[in-house]
Amino acid sequence: MFVFVCAGCGAELTAPLSQVALPVHAHQKYGNGTQLPVLMEQGTFAVEPEPWGPPWRKWEEIQPDEAAARGIHAPAYSLSDGAPGAVVIAPGDARGTVLIPEKAGGYCCGLDGADGPNMACEVCGLPVASRIDDCSLWQAVWLAPDAVQRLPADGTDAEVAPLSWAEVMAEGKGTPPFEPVTTWGSVRGSAHWWSWSPRWEAAVGRALAHLLAASQGRPVTVPDGLAREVLQRALDVLLPAGPPVRRAVLAGPGRPAPDADADILLVPSHPQTGNVWAPEGWSAAADLVPLPFGVWLWLAFPEPHLPIPASGAMPDGVLRDDPPAPRPAHLFRADPMAFQRAMVRLPAVRSPWLRKIHENLTQQARARIF
């Protein structure tokens, strides 16, 4: 457990926190006017290793050598010139901070952090964080890496080992593919509808980029069921038809060993470390495509139907008899920003055929795969 303190005066700025992997949807902008929940679970923090936040530079201002040094292999709309290592926490875990009124510009329905840090240390006044709660953005507090310091919560340097995969499987929870999405209040009041989960749209957007890179320009098939529903349509649109086909299968802890002839493995990333699971003795015979653990768990071990809120608890071993949650009215569409963010960071995007897919995103959006 760690606490973050002000680099100026040493005042504590957070509750004790444990580190987890940065969510794939951390920088997602979802819909228009939607009210997204809190990004981080209470008591956790994650680190963005890349520069993030203002100031920003458009792609035309960036030299190719600089982009390559930052691991960017294809044009992006803009790149951050902020400091790397920003720390994101749940707003309720912030302590000893006050808002900076003159830094509240550039928003629609709330704060978006476009003007830089909008929270200051209550003791010394140093700008230390950005509160984000605007519509279509995940609610979070981003601690400025050059304004805070991380210290052990108990005053020691003792590190706790991350959970083993067996412990993750025992304690982890799946991420449901459908959830109610709420709009900000209007003259008619707030409204909500059942939709594909924004978390899934971001996770599949990233996975789709990795699948295309692993496809080698050939058709790819994915397992039947929900995996096919969220991935196959986009793969069929973006990749050519006809043999030879590359086969992607689900693999991971608790699953049977993947077939020797599997070309691509859809595997989980560790919820604490972000490390990608690999089969024992893996030697790159198959390409690994990472999925957030909660999304992978739902694909690998699907629940009979989505649980809905109810009072009390069902006994162990008894299936709920509630009706399943309503399905969305539209086909699944991957998050285009998550897709692009992953794609430009893959060296394979230098290939002409894959570069063409990256450059024609607007046209592909008309096919409603994004």
Side-chain angles (χ1 to χ4, degrees):
M1 302 289 285
F2 299 92
V3 294
F4 290 85
V5 302
C6 174
C9 67
E12 290 194 1
L13 302 176
T14 71
L17 306 171
S18 59
Q19 186 168 4
V20 297
L22 183 72
V24 175
H25 52 280
H27 303 303
Q28 184 180 34
K29 182 175 176 63
Y30 182 80
N32 182 24
T34 54
Q35 187 174 0
L36 292 177
V38 173
L39 174 67
M40 302 299 295
E41 291 188 11
Q42 184 178 1
T44 67
F45 74 95
V47 178
E48 170 56 83
E50 297 187 18
W52 189 258
W56 296 86
R57 282 190 294 157
K58 291 188 176 181
W59 181 256
E60 295 77 14
E61 305 171 16
I62 299 167
Q63 297 298 319
D65 291 345
E66 179 187 355
R70 294 178 59 167
I72 308 297
H73 307 289
Y77 178 75
S78 63
L79 291 180
S80 169
D81 263 354
V87 175
V88 62
I89 66 173
D93 284 328
R95 302 287 188 270
T97 58
V98 293
L99 287 172
I100 306 173
E102 58 271 23
K103 290 285 189 172
Y107 60 86
C108 177
C109 299
L111 303 171
D112 67 0
D115 290 340
N118 55 28
M119 299 174 68
C121 171
E122 189 175 26
V123 176
C124 70
L126 179 70
V128 292
S130 295
R131 173 74 159 97
I132 307 295
D133 57 16
D134 201 3
C135 60
S136 300
L137 301 177
W138 290 87
Q139 298 182 46
V141 166
W142 289 85
L143 302 174
D146 53 356
V148 300
Q149 294 178 343
R150 182 174 71 175
L151 300 177
D154 57 1
T156 71
D157 295 328
E159 293 276 355
V160 178
L163 298 176
S164 66
W165 278 110
E167 292 169 328
V168 169
M169 289 295 294
E171 299 182 14
K173 296 180 180 179
T175 302
F178 318 129
E179 63 182 73
V181 173
T182 305
T183 62
W184 280 84
S186 65
V187 292
R188 297 182 179 179
S190 61
H192 74 273
W193 64 94
W194 280 90
S195 174
W196 289 99
S197 167
R199 297 171 177 85
W200 273 70
E201 294 186 9
V204 171
R206 183 184 69 169
L208 182 59
H210 285 266
L211 277 167
L212 292 175
S215 73
Q216 302 175 1
R218 293 155 48 187
V220 170
T221 61
V222 297
D224 290 335
L226 191 55
R228 177 172 290 272
E229 187 172 1
V230 300
L231 284 166
Q232 194 66 61
R233 188 168 64 92
L235 291 169
D236 291 345
V237 169
L238 298 174
L239 294 171
V245 174
R246 303 207 84 203
R247 190 166 66 94
V249 301
L250 284 162
R255 296 276 301 179
D259 298 338
D261 60 348
D263 302 296
I264 303 170
L265 305 182
L266 302 170
V267 298
S269 54
H270 196 285
Q272 291 176 304
T273 66
N275 294 335
V276 177
W277 181 90
E280 187 175 353
W282 177 73
S283 59
D287 292 291
L288 303 182
V289 172
L291 289 165
F293 177 78
V295 172
W296 174 87
L297 187 63
W298 200 282
L299 289 173
F301 302 96
E303 298 187 14
H305 61 73
L306 296 182
I308 61 175
S311 61
M314 296 293 290
D316 291 340
V318 177
L319 295 178
R320 299 187 63 122
D321 57 0
D322 303 306
R327 286 183 59 89
H330 60 82
L331 296 174
F332 182 86
R333 295 196 287 268
D335 186 283
M337 292 180 64
F339 173 79
Q340 282 188 310
R341 180 173 171 82
M343 181 64 77
V344 300
R345 287 162 173 79
L346 296 174
V349 76
R350 299 180 183 134
S351 302
W353 70 270
L354 196 53
R355 183 72 166 261
K356 185 176 180 180
I357 291 176
H358 166 67
E359 293 173 348
N360 292 339
L361 192 62
T362 301
Q363 178 181 346
Q364 295 146 10
R366 296 193 184 103
R368 296 186 178 276
I369 61 175
F370 295 110

